[in-house]
Amino acid sequence: MSETTLPETTPLKTGKVDAVIVGAGFAGMYMLHRLRGLGLAAVVFEQGTDVGGTWYWNRYPGARCDVESMQYSYSFSPELQQDWHWSERFSAQPEILRYAQHVADRLELRRDIRFETKVTRASFDEATNLWAVETDRGDQVTARYCIMATGCLSSARLPDIAGLDSFQGATYHTGHWPHEGVDLAGKRVAVIGTGSSAIQAIPVIARQAAHLTVFQRTPNFSIPSRNAPMDAEYEGWWKSDYEAHRAKARMMRTGILYGLNEKSALEVTPAERLAEYEARWAKGGTAFMAAFSDLITNREANDTAAEFVREKIRGLVKDPAVAEILAPQGYPIGTKRICVDTEYFETFNRANVTLVDVRDAPIEAITPTGVRTRHGETAVDAIVFATGFDAMTGALTRVDLRGRDGLGLAEKWAEGPRTYLGLMTAGFPNLFMITGPGSPSVLSNMIVSIEQHVDWLADCIAHLRARGLETIEATREAEEEWVAHVNEVADRTLYPAANSWYMGANIPGKPRVFMPYIGGVGAYREKCTEIAAQGYTGFRLKAGSQAAVAAE
Ligand code: NA7
């Protein structure tokens, strides 16, 4: 039985629900579905006009998932996964958004989602053990549980470049692309940034624009996607035993089922090594990084893969000077998010594309007419900022979240995020994060990690309610230990060697802490399951205080 029932038709201004969910991406949608299944009244607040999260916002040309379609979908409903047909090996943004919309229709999710509504503040009331949640539309809602399904890469970031507002042409951020699309035909376009988003957008923009100038600070390693229409046989193989394949994927390091080579790159002959890399390059996709077991732990092993990709770049790009600028040096392959592309490097062979290396000559200013570096100004009609996100913590800390004693989350995390399992943070009872920092999240197939967290949370809430318990809270000791463990595991890898958004390095002033958990999706899942089975070790579970009961 739910504590209250949410009136379906009345706009929510004040009221009480069992749970507030923030965000209607894949995490928020599934969380709502699970909570409904438990008989809870839940409301979702979502800034966009529809569901889809990442796939709602990131509509830039070429936006595509780099996890294969057959694996980048919900697994909780056998009917849904059998019914849905993906048209390509790697799905493009419009198709993933249609899928999210289809799920929302099928499960009738929208009636409990308040769109175009941003949660501005949520504070925990210790007298009643309830969260008071406020929105920019004036809603004031109390809830037993507050669930942040706000995504890991949703807080878009513009760099602090002087003169940004002075530009007289059009500016776009890949993460906030206009819904009506953008016609860049005949335009002189600048793309700033060469991360995953830029690497997908650049080949498409180059085909439209009169001229494209790419401003690159750090080159990225990118593997060809070899995207193609869905192979019927491959789709059939997945669908013939989806459950068993999914079960295997859930236990993989990344939550993706692919061929993992258990050998070290250093124990095979150079010829065998090359053959392995060539085979994976030909097959395409991020499985390249699974070519050998030690690519992310051993620099010497990593160098062999990095050099292989650099050689490929040198082969693809006709101008040797341009190829050298595009060939990443100075950080291990995979320690900045590995990219997957369609004819990215080849695009620099086009006559209408110029690459500007801004590593040693940073962008000094955006002027009314273009982009200026020490070497001069490039006049453009439009600027595309592919400059990324305040990853993992940004979407959480930009909401004014207040736990016990009015402590703010941003304040608590001033030195870096601190969580227990990436699910909760001490001092914030009944505040849950889906794929929060300290969980595998961005290092994994996000939908696999989302489902694992949502299922764990739903089971946890059912556990509390069955026992008449009102709050769950991570203990400081468990949090300390988990943070130490997350760091210790990261330090066994090469990840901390790169200036990546995993490390918070893309945001000036953000503490350098490796944020996701790299212990592996399978091992992490087992740990979470074991903790729950043991009665939620490391969490404090409490019945309501008399005051709280009286206030009900
Ligand atoms: P990323 O991967 O954070 O890429 C942002 C890019 O923007 C990166 O190349 C940055 O260079 C560059 N950047 C940022 N600020 C500047 C300035 N001031 N000057 C020049 N270049 C700049 O974001 P994406 O959106 O591509 O990808 C994010 C994730 O979304 C991706 O990994 C997928 O998981 C989906 P830098 O490397 O910092 O030198």
Side-chain angles (χ1 to χ4, degrees):
M1 275 290 288
S2 77
E3 291 181 10
T4 46
T5 331
L6 189 69
E8 274 176 29
T9 47
T10 339
L12 202 68
K13 281 295 170 199
T14 56
K16 187 170 167 218
V17 290
D18 297 313
V20 162
I21 299 167
V22 188
F26 283 118
M29 289 168 65
Y30 182 43
M31 192 77 241
L32 173 61
H33 177 63
R34 283 297 320 262
L35 291 185
R36 278 184 182 170
L38 295 177
L40 268 72
V43 62
V44 183
F45 290 115
E46 163 59 49
Q47 284 188 65
T49 57
D50 202 357
V51 297
T54 288
W55 304 104
Y56 170 89
W57 296 104
N58 286 271
R59 298 173 188 237
Y60 59 86
R64 190 178 290 285
C65 188
D66 54 16
V67 175
E68 283 190 0
S69 313
M70 294 312 295
Q71 309 204 45
Y72 193 80
S73 56
Y74 285 127
S75 71
F76 68 83
S77 161
E79 299 78 27
L80 175 66
Q81 68 184 4
Q82 287 297 334
D83 293 352
W84 187 262
H85 165 71
W86 295 104
S87 67
E88 292 178 277
R89 178 181 175 198
F90 292 101
S91 298
Q93 173 271 333
E95 191 167 11
I96 305 177
L97 183 59
R98 275 201 301 281
Y99 171 75
Q101 291 165 337
H102 167 77
V103 175
D105 289 341
R106 198 166 162 136
L107 303 177
E108 295 178 28
L109 296 178
R110 288 190 187 85
R111 67 183 146 89
D112 288 327
I113 306 177
R114 301 300 187 271
F115 291 104
E116 294 180 86
T117 310
K118 186 164 143 182
V119 170
T120 50
R121 184 183 160 92
S123 53
F124 183 69
D125 179 352
E126 294 181 56
T128 58
N129 286 335
L130 293 171
W131 280 89
V133 181
E134 296 169 26
T135 75
D136 63 347
R137 290 200 166 217
D139 302 294
Q140 295 197 322
V141 181
T142 54
R144 178 68 66 211
Y145 314 105
C146 182
I147 303 170
M148 303 301 287
T150 37
C152 299
L153 294 154
S154 47
S155 181
R157 181 186 168 266
L158 282 175
D160 306 317
I161 301 177
L164 260 179
D165 295 336
S166 71
F167 185 62
Q168 285 167 357
T171 57
Y172 309 97
H173 189 287
T174 49
H176 282 287
W177 203 259
H179 288 198
E180 61 281 10
V182 178
D183 182 9
L184 294 170
K187 301 256 166 57
R188 297 164 304 166
V189 181
V191 170
I192 299 180
T194 48
S196 281
S197 303
I199 282 177
Q200 292 184 335
I202 283 167
V204 185
I205 295 177
R207 290 198 290 273
Q208 299 169 358
H211 196 91
L212 169 63
T213 309
V214 176
F215 292 85
Q216 173 190 275
R217 186 163 65 187
T218 312
N220 263 296
F221 291 98
S222 186
I223 311 297
S225 71
R226 313 287 180 210
N227 186 39
M230 179 59 70
D231 179 85
E233 209 177 307
Y234 187 59
E235 180 180 9
W237 179 81
W238 271 96
K239 289 191 172 176
S240 67
D241 202 357
Y242 230 139
E243 203 35 63
H245 301 322
R246 297 278 205 187
K248 277 191 200 139
R250 287 185 198 112
M251 297 316 291
M252 301 285 288
R253 185 161 59 81
T254 55
I256 306 171
L257 189 58
Y258 51 43
L260 197 71
N261 188 349
E262 298 296 342
K263 286 185 188 159
S264 156
L266 305 176
E267 75 178 65
V268 298
T269 65
E272 282 175 76
R273 201 160 52 218
L274 186 63
E276 183 72 30
Y277 290 144
E278 287 288 3
R280 287 180 187 255
W281 183 266
K283 205 164 175 215
T286 57
F288 181 84
M289 287 306 296
F292 294 101
S293 63
D294 50 357
L295 294 186
I296 57 156
T297 51
N298 182 315
R299 187 66 191 250
E300 203 186 333
N302 186 286
D303 282 345
T304 65
E307 191 48 32
F308 174 86
V309 175
R310 282 192 288 266
E311 267 307 298
K312 286 291 181 196
I313 296 170
R314 290 176 192 124
L316 290 168
V317 180
K318 287 186 185 139
D319 181 334
V322 175
E324 273 326 299
I325 299 171
L326 287 167
Q329 301 278 359
Y331 68 91
I333 183 170
T335 56
K336 277 167 92 80
R337 182 79 144 67
I338 189 91
C339 301
V340 173
D341 71 276
T342 301
E343 296 182 359
Y344 172 65
F345 295 111
E346 295 89 323
T347 297
F348 293 90
N349 295 330
R350 294 176 66 103
N352 72 333
V353 176
T354 309
L355 178 65
V356 177
D357 183 0
V358 297
R359 176 174 297 222
D360 299 319
I363 298 170
E364 289 176 347
I366 304 293
T367 68
T369 48
V371 182
R372 195 182 74 218
T373 72
R374 176 153 39 93
H375 301 305
E377 181 178 322
T378 305
V380 291
D381 306 306
I383 303 176
V384 174
F385 290 94
T387 44
F389 302 88
D390 183 354
M392 306 205 67
T393 54
L396 293 164
T397 54
R398 74 180 167 181
V399 179
D400 186 10
L401 292 170
R402 304 266 153 191
R404 288 192 192 284
D405 304 319
L407 177 68
L409 186 73
E411 211 181 315
K412 179 179 171 185
W413 286 4
E415 301 303 318
R418 306 186 69 75
T419 72
Y420 181 37
L421 299 171
L423 283 161
M424 298 197 84
T425 186
F428 294 74
N430 291 0
L431 178 84
F432 301 107
M433 290 166 270
I434 300 176
T435 65
S439 73
S441 63
V442 292
L443 297 174
S444 69
N445 178 348
M446 284 305 296
I447 299 198
V448 169
S449 287
I450 283 169
E451 286 193 327
Q452 186 249 333
H453 267 190
V454 170
D455 287 335
W456 192 96
L457 288 179
D459 292 349
C460 169
I461 289 172
H463 176 97
L464 296 174
R465 292 166 69 85
R467 286 161 186 76
L469 299 168
E470 215 158 68
T471 58
I472 178 166
E473 182 177 357
T475 67
R476 296 225 176 251
E477 301 72 42
E479 181 173 287
E480 287 293 318
E481 272 177 38
W482 185 252
V483 170
H485 175 62
V486 170
N487 284 311
E488 185 220 329
V489 180
D491 287 340
R492 278 189 244 142
T493 74
L494 301 170
Y495 275 93
N499 287 322
S500 65
W501 54 255
Y502 297 131
M503 296 289 296
N506 63 328
I507 306 291
K510 193 166 172 175
R512 277 188 69 103
V513 176
F514 188 73
M515 294 183 286
Y517 177 57
I518 199 173
V521 164
Y524 172 81
R525 171 186 295 273
E526 281 178 342
K527 180 102 192 146
C528 291
T529 306
E530 182 188 304
I531 284 170
Q534 289 169 350
Y536 295 90
T537 334
F539 293 98
R540 198 173 297 115
L541 280 59
K542 278 195 182 164
S545 63
Q546 281 312 307
V549 173
E552 289 283 294

